[in-house]
Amino acid sequence: MLTITQALHDQIVAHARADHPDEACGVVAGPVGTGRAERFIPMLNAARSPTFYEFDSGDLLKLYREMDDRDEEPVIIYHSHTATEAYPSRTDVAYANEPGAHYVLVSTADADDAGPFQFRSFRIVDGEITEEDVEIVEAYEPA
């Protein structure tokens, strides 16, 4: 299960809406080994596409060095789908190379009358997609 604060949830959704009609993408980092998503890091979709996202390789290298310096890891890797449901595409699965991360997808399309967006989380390991529940909390419990 992904547990995420309301504030982080809202930031991810706002980023997806702001970048629409292009796909938005980013990372939420957290302290290594805790599974706690804490630091919102919106990224630029280098592809600038409504059907595809790509992290800029230089930005991604900088991000991973910064996370390493801060003893963080990517807890959530997120992106949006602008015209389809929030479910990983074949390309999303091919690019999923963080087996410990939650892959969050936000759909900014009203594809199924579920409202103006969908917010879903998946684990993607060795090409296998597993949807997981999302619990939205006001704040994390003390560690």
Side-chain angles (χ1 to χ4, degrees), residues 6-86:
Q6 185 70 57
L8 285 170
H9 170 275
D10 293 350
Q11 287 177 298
I12 292 170
V13 171
H15 184 203
R17 287 180 170 158
D19 281 14
H20 188 87
D22 289 339
E23 289 192 4
C25 58
V27 173
V28 183
V32 171
T34 66
R36 185 177 284 203
E38 293 183 352
R39 189 166 64 96
F40 177 70
I41 308 157
M43 303 285 285
L44 174 68
N45 179 354
R48 296 187 189 267
S49 167
T51 58
F52 180 74
Y53 83 98
E54 181 177 35
F55 292 118
D56 176 270
S57 58
D59 290 347
L60 199 56
L61 180 59
K62 180 181 170 193
L63 171 63
Y64 271 81
R65 285 182 175 156
E66 184 180 284
M67 286 190 299
D68 192 46
D69 289 345
R70 296 171 63 124
D71 292 323
E72 292 176 328
E73 63 188 352
V75 176
I76 296 171
I77 298 171
Y78 74 87
H79 76 281
S80 61
H81 283 181
T82 61
T84 59
E85 71 173 324

Side-chain angles (χ1 to χ4, degrees), residues 89-113:
S89 68
R90 286 189 303 260
T91 304
D92 297 339
V93 173
Y95 285 150
N97 59 1
E98 289 286 350
H102 302 271
Y103 286 87
V104 166
L105 280 98
V106 175
S107 176
T108 54
D110 187 8
D112 64 357
D113 297 325

